[in-house]
Amino acid sequence: MGSHATLDALFIAAGAPGEPPNLSHGSKWKEWLFRAGQDPTVDSLAVLGNVLEEFMDLAPMAGTNEYDAWTERRMRVEHALEENGLRYYRFGRILPQSLVGEHPEPNDRGASQTPPKPTKVEELLEVVVRGLRRAMHPLTHRRKGTQQLSFGNEYDVQDLLHALLRPWISDIRPEEFTPSYAGSSTRMDFLLPAHKLVIETKIVRDRAHVRRVGDELIIDIEHYRRHPGCAALWCVIYDPDHLITNAEGLKNDLQGMRATPDGQVHVRVFVL
């Protein structure tokens, strides 16, 4: 499963509720899945399907030792699901056996329940932001003969985020300038003027950059705090290689209300 940061990123992207349990690997994932099953607002089968999707759908090269080991582990997962009356289908879908006849494999694209429709822009943004990694998955693992997309820089992540938000939010203004701070101004990634909300994206490029991300965001926060149209700032940090070892510490250092006499902004931080 890898590091705690890798496990946390996987479950957060899958829609698991709340903060990561402060437990060992072997207990953390069980507690998080149990918590999802107890929360009436969470589709726990969708969370489980999202957690399993990459492992179940992406096979190693056939004929290798890795492929044989993967096949054995995949069969064990399928057997465990079947013992509990469930079945896995491609694209992270888990259905109760009683629904299998009603939802045939080739055409079914639904989850076990219809997720609630967001009632506030913050609810919508949280679904989109936390689901960015999952949204990347079908684009980076496309069918044979098609060009796979990559998300190797901030512009790639911004374009995906912009595309996911456009059907929901009519007025999205990319690259508007902020007021000057320390003799310079900067371009914000996205301003949602109707909601006085700014989204800033960062991508962790390498281990050296890990140490600079927090400092970059501190400067950005000072710029946004002075912007009259920005009451909330959402900082989305995409960490593709899970190089950030203390994501909770980074979030605790930056999140919350930042206020001085010349302006204030409420900051939220997401590490994906």
Side-chain angles (χ1 to χ4, degrees):
M1 184 64 77
S3 67
H4 277 280
T6 302
L7 183 63
D8 293 348
L10 173 64
F11 270 70
I12 290 171
E19 295 297 321
N22 187 22
L23 299 169
S24 65
H25 271 68
S27 300
K28 174 182 283 189
W29 68 266
K30 296 176 185 177
E31 169 62 25
W32 224 341
L33 288 177
F34 175 79
R35 183 191 297 170
Q38 296 298 305
D39 190 331
T41 67
V42 174
D43 185 345
S44 57
L45 291 186
V47 172
L48 178 58
N50 294 345
V51 168
L52 293 174
E53 180 181 11
E54 186 170 345
F55 167 75
M56 297 292 281
D57 291 355
L58 296 182
M61 183 176 297
T64 63
N65 293 334
E66 290 81 4
Y67 180 83
D68 294 339
W70 171 82
T71 301
E72 181 179 347
R73 291 196 297 268
R74 194 180 193 280
M75 289 178 62
R76 286 164 52 191
V77 172
E78 290 178 336
H79 180 66
L81 291 173
E82 289 174 2
E83 284 186 331
N84 290 276
L86 303 170
R87 183 176 294 179
Y88 179 86
Y89 294 99
R90 289 191 65 201
F91 308 113
R93 291 169 295 127
I94 293 179
L95 296 176
Q97 293 280 20
S98 59
L99 296 181
V100 170
E102 303 170 24
H103 299 271
E105 163 66 9
N107 299 318
D108 176 48
R109 289 292 183 270
S112 58
Q113 304 173 19
T114 301
K117 187 175 294 186
T119 58
K120 299 187 298 183
V121 70
E122 289 82 7
E123 293 177 2
L124 166 67
L125 290 175
E126 187 141 358
V127 170
V128 170
V129 168
R130 291 190 182 277
L132 271 179
R133 272 187 177 269
R134 189 160 189 259
M136 293 174 184
H137 179 78
L139 301 175
T140 55
H141 300 87
R142 302 182 69 195
R143 296 174 179 85
K144 287 186 177 180
T146 59
Q147 182 178 353
Q148 294 183 352
L149 304 185
S150 63
F151 296 90
N153 59 58
E154 290 175 7
Y155 292 125
D156 296 332
V157 179
Q158 290 169 18
D159 289 345
L160 176 60
L161 183 59
H162 195 177
L164 292 172
L165 291 177
R166 284 195 63 147
W168 297 90
I169 301 173
S170 58
D171 190 0
I172 301 174
R173 302 182 188 179
E175 299 193 340
E176 179 167 319
F177 279 97
T178 64
S180 176
Y181 169 70
S184 67
S185 62
T186 186
R187 287 184 176 182
M188 60 183 67
D189 292 344
F190 298 108
L191 170 65
L192 313 182
H195 309 285
K196 292 191 172 182
L197 190 148
V198 168
I199 302 174
E200 172 71 14
T201 60
K202 296 286 183 184
I203 185 169
V204 180
R205 296 187 292 274
D206 49 44
R207 293 189 183 279
H209 188 222
V210 170
R211 296 189 292 270
R212 301 197 303 271
V213 167
D215 294 336
E216 291 174 5
L217 286 175
I218 288 172
I219 295 173
D220 290 337
I221 289 168
E222 290 304 309
H223 282 290
Y224 297 131
R225 187 171 53 75
R226 290 166 167 77
H227 194 291
C230 176
L233 170 64
W234 285 36
C235 304
V236 180
I237 305 171
Y238 175 48
D239 183 14
D241 299 317
H242 305 293
L243 298 176
I244 297 176
T245 58
N246 187 12
E248 289 305 308
L250 177 63
K251 289 191 283 187
N252 290 337
D253 288 345
L254 297 175
Q255 289 190 135
M257 183 63 71
R258 297 298 188 93
T260 62
D262 58 349
Q264 65 179 29
V265 63
H266 188 270
V267 181
R268 291 194 65 183
V269 178
F270 298 83
V271 180
L272 308 176

